[in-house]
Amino acid sequence: MLIHPGFDPVAVRIGPLAVHWYGLMYLAGFAAFLWLARRRLRHEPFRSLGWQPRDVEDMLFWGVLGVILGGRLGYVLFYKPMTYLAEPWRIVAVWEGGMSFHGGLLGVLLAMAWWARRQQRPWLQVMDFVAPCVPVGLALGRLGNFINGELWGRPAPPQLPWAMVFPAAGPQPRHPSQLYQMALEGLLLFALLWWFARRQRRTGEVSAAFLVGYGVMRFAAEYFREPDAHLGLLSLGFSMGQWLSLPMIVAGVALWAWARRRSAAL
């Protein structure tokens, strides 16, 4: 079995300033979005509709706000509401850690709705543009979790070749679930969505594919990830991450059906 390398979570120190690997992964994720979105401009219908690089840059600004504010508030509301209700001033202490993908998703949805309204563009068209550009950033975020040695997996059989001991979790070998999630929700989802979105699709289909794809992959990966210690497993033996993924899957299926019916009615 393997032992987690115990990386220093601080990548660079400049005097009193400490730059953490996790923060660098966020920056790399935003840069990856910018690079991919500029290439997405070549896809239909966006090329014919006259989307421009400045649209991507403006969208990224609002998306960053949605990720950070939504991710933080989602963590507060979904994972530790009582803790932050007792100490509300800690909500802004982002350096202590604590971000939620599902909260970040809601934040991005709202930010893109705001941007779409300002630009007088259909919201679902905007989300179809954004969806394939997101998973690479998710993969980088999971890499940051692995570097930090956090969000480790459930106990694994010692004979599993890639079972790993995370010192902070004790001597028991565990699944490196951060890498599972990086591979599934990040790299595999990106490859599938990018391939699917290269051809023009019905409005809403790419967004639906993202919701279902992420929801299913996250739900599966949660079986290998250690549940949050203060929450444990909830009803039906599901983790909080699984319960939050179920509405995504349902919404994705509903959106896909709506896109098909709308296309047939036109």
Side-chain angles (χ1 to χ4, degrees), residues 163-200:
M164 183 172 289
V165 173
F166 293 86
Q172 190 170 20
R174 295 177 176 272
H175 290 280
S177 58
Q178 313 96 323
L179 301 183
Y180 296 177
Q181 292 187 263
M182 175 182 171
L184 288 175
E185 306 157 15
L187 303 180
L188 178 59
L189 183 60
F190 165 72
L192 293 175
L193 277 180
W194 194 261
W195 167 80
F196 181 72
R198 284 183 65 85
R199 290 178 54 192
Q200 185 169 350

Side-chain angles (χ1 to χ4, degrees), residues 209-249:
F210 174 85
L211 290 171
V212 174
Y214 181 89
V216 169
M217 293 180 186
R218 174 67 182 268
F219 191 93
E222 285 283 329
Y223 281 114
F224 300 95
R225 174 174 163 176
E226 184 73 14
D228 295 270
H230 63 287
L231 292 176
L233 295 176
L234 307 176
S235 300
L236 303 180
F238 293 166
S239 67
M240 176 61 82
Q242 288 174 313
W243 277 113
L244 292 174
S245 295
L246 287 175
M248 288 185 65
I249 299 171

Side-chain angles (χ1 to χ4, degrees), residues 22 25-26 28-30 32 135-145 182:
Y22 195 66
M25 292 302 104
Y26 264 75
F30 295 139
V136 171
L138 302 181
L140 289 166
R142 294 307 177 194
L143 179 59
N145 293 143
M182 175 182 171

Side-chain angles (χ1 to χ4, degrees), residues 10-191:
V10 177
V12 179
R13 295 183 187 275
I14 306 174
L17 177 65
V19 180
H20 289 74
W21 282 110
Y22 195 66
L24 290 178
M25 292 302 104
Y26 264 75
L27 291 177
F30 295 139
F33 175 89
L34 186 63
W35 188 80
L36 290 169
R38 285 175 173 168
R39 278 142 189 82
R40 181 101 169 98
L41 292 172
R42 305 170 188 170
H43 298 171
E44 293 295 349
F46 311 105
R47 181 171 59 181
S48 299
L49 292 172
W51 282 56
Q52 299 295 323
R54 65 175 178 271
D55 294 323
V56 172
E57 295 161 6
D58 196 23
M59 189 187 308
L60 177 62
F61 172 78
W62 292 102
V64 168
L65 289 180
V67 168
I68 295 175
L69 296 178
R72 183 59 174 172
L73 292 176
Y75 180 79
V76 169
L77 295 173
F78 298 149
Y79 290 91
K80 291 187 175 181
M82 293 299 101
T83 298
Y84 289 101
L85 183 61
E87 301 176 295
W89 57 88
R90 291 180 55 196
I91 293 175
V92 298
V94 294
W95 55 88
E96 295 179 355
M99 296 286 282
S100 161
F101 163 79
H102 297 90
L105 174 63
L106 292 175
V108 169
L109 292 175
L110 292 173
M112 292 302 98
W114 170 256
W115 186 83
R117 182 175 180 180
R118 289 183 62 201
Q119 300 297 319
Q120 297 184 333
R121 298 185 187 275
W123 178 57
L124 278 178
Q125 182 188 100
V126 173
M127 296 313 303
D128 284 347
F129 178 89
V130 168
C133 307
V134 170
V136 171
L138 302 181
L140 289 166
R142 294 307 177 194
L143 179 59
N145 293 143
F146 179 76
I147 291 173
N148 284 349
E150 62 191 6
L151 305 184
W152 48 73
R154 302 188 192 190
Q159 63 271 23
L160 186 71
W162 55 85
M164 183 172 289
V165 173
F166 293 86
Q172 190 170 20
R174 295 177 176 272
H175 290 280
S177 58
Q178 313 96 323
L179 301 183
Y180 296 177
Q181 292 187 263
M182 175 182 171
L184 288 175
E185 306 157 15
L187 303 180
L188 178 59
L189 183 60
F190 165 72

